[in-house]
Amino acid sequence: MVLETALGDPVFWMAALAGGAFGAAIGALPAFVFTGFMVIAGEAAAFAGAGDEITGAIGFGPIFGPHIAFAGGAAAAAYAAKQGYPELDDGKDIASALGTHRIDVLAVGAIFGIFGFAATELLNYVGFGTDNIALIVFVSALVHRVVFGYDIIGEVYGNNIFDMSPAERDEENAPGIWLPWQYKWSGVASIGIIGGLIGGFVFLVTESPVLVFGISAASLVFLNCGVDNFPVTHHITLPGSVGAFGALSAGMGEPIVMLFALGFGVFGALMGEVCNRVFYAHGKTHVDPPAFGIAASGLLATLLVAVGVFDASIWPTFGL
């Protein structure tokens, strides 16, 4: 089985159906934590000379790929909340497992798993110039809002779409901030610097652009277990690693590589917060800010390829 021809392989379609349903059963966030563990395991196997099949086919593949399991779980949560099922009354709740006793909930996860698989494979096939897994996680959330009758943006109660002050005053109908401990611009920029540098260093040491993503994703087991104030960083560390990869591939020295990692980390963090304020806060289902941040960072990498800063070999860039 070869990932590049996965659309023609019925095994992958069946696996994606199962992956989406599994994400619905265990919950989107727990499914994403598994993604992190699988990426760590896959990169460890690759370092040991056992190949990279675990990362590509399992961690980012049709079982635990975020565009399948996480997106399927998020869609199932939106559906369950819309149906008024007692297991979940909040369409933004991606941490709770929905179990196996409602076949319709599992079916929603399965359908969105298949959608995520097919859409991502098509974008990869045409060489669309970003992280297409992240892009489809974001797009899938907009699709489930439309399909299940939610507003795409939601109702804005503040002075403008970026205004989070009603939530800060705990007003009725206030926007639901994605991470109340990680939304102020200064803090977002700070964790962007920190996470970007971490991503850059991990890439320089390991030469793996995705290991740090696995570490950040797996760390969310603590968030899922209720640890207060735990930061979400995969949309920061992964762009940092990609920025470092691009700079190193262009022949830049390691201090400059780290500066690119820092810049990409800050960019990913800020774009995640933009998504929080535009798409997440005012709506009633989960639209993933990290996915938006990672996809935006991928487009930034493509732009740097287009202007000749990065080498075109690092990224699928619209055929550039």
Side-chain angles (χ1 to χ4, degrees):
M1 294 185 295
V2 180
L3 286 176
E4 286 77 10
T5 59
L7 282 174
D9 190 336
V11 171
F12 279 86
W13 289 89
M14 290 186 280
L17 181 151
F22 188 63
I26 70 172
L29 184 55
F32 186 66
V33 170
F34 272 110
T35 301
F37 286 131
M38 291 299 101
V39 170
I40 293 171
E43 294 306 281
F47 296 147
D52 59 359
E53 290 82 2
I54 293 176
T55 298
I58 306 298
F60 294 127
I63 301 299
F64 292 115
H67 54 308
I68 293 169
F70 179 88
Y79 170 80
K82 193 71 171 181
Q83 295 298 110
Y85 290 155
E87 297 87 349
L88 191 145
D89 59 5
D90 179 3
K92 290 182 174 180
D93 182 356
I94 59 170
S96 297
L98 293 172
T100 62
H101 58 295
R102 295 192 187 275
I103 301 301
D104 54 341
V105 171
L106 297 179
V108 167
I111 291 168
F112 274 84
I114 290 173
F115 168 75
F117 163 70
T120 302
E121 290 296 324
L122 284 171
L123 289 177
N124 287 341
Y125 178 77
V126 301
F128 196 81
T130 189
D131 184 318
N132 291 316
I133 288 177
L135 178 61
I136 292 304
V137 170
F138 171 70
V139 169
S140 179
L142 300 184
V143 170
H144 81 229
R145 281 189 174 179
V146 172
V147 168
F148 300 134
Y150 293 96
D151 291 337
I152 291 181
I153 300 295
E155 191 165 355
V156 178
Y157 290 96
N159 295 324
N160 56 67
I161 202 167
F162 283 87
D163 182 13
M164 298 291 104
S165 62
E168 295 169 347
R169 295 189 295 267
D170 199 25
E171 294 180 4
E172 186 178 0
N173 296 320
I177 299 173
W178 169 51
L179 298 174
W181 56 88
Q182 189 178 320
Y183 79 98
K184 293 186 177 180
W185 293 111
S186 59
V188 169
S190 297
I191 193 64
I193 293 169
I194 295 165
L197 291 173
I198 291 171
F201 182 77
V202 171
F203 171 75
L204 285 175
V205 171
T206 66
E207 298 184 355
S208 168
V210 298
L211 175 60
V212 75
F213 171 86
I215 294 169
S216 287
S219 76
L220 296 182
V221 67
F222 297 106
L223 181 66
N224 209 123
C225 291
V227 175
D228 291 335
N229 301 317
F230 196 88
V232 175
T233 60
H234 54 286
H235 61 305
I236 301 169
T237 58
L238 178 60
S241 187
V242 168
F245 183 26
L248 191 67
S249 297
M252 300 178 195
E254 290 187 352
I256 303 301
V257 166
M258 289 292 284
L259 289 177
F260 269 92
L262 184 157
F264 267 76
V266 171
F267 183 79
L270 294 176
M271 289 300 99
E273 184 55 30
V274 166
C275 181
N276 168 42
R277 296 178 185 235
V278 175
F279 293 104
Y280 179 93
H282 311 284
K284 294 184 177 180
T285 72
H286 183 86
V287 175
D288 197 53
F292 184 90
I294 293 171
S297 298
L299 291 173
L300 176 60
T302 293
L303 175 62
L304 292 177
V305 169
V307 299
V309 176
F310 285 175
D311 187 273
S313 64
I314 73 156
W315 202 257
T317 51
F318 308 109
L320 291 173

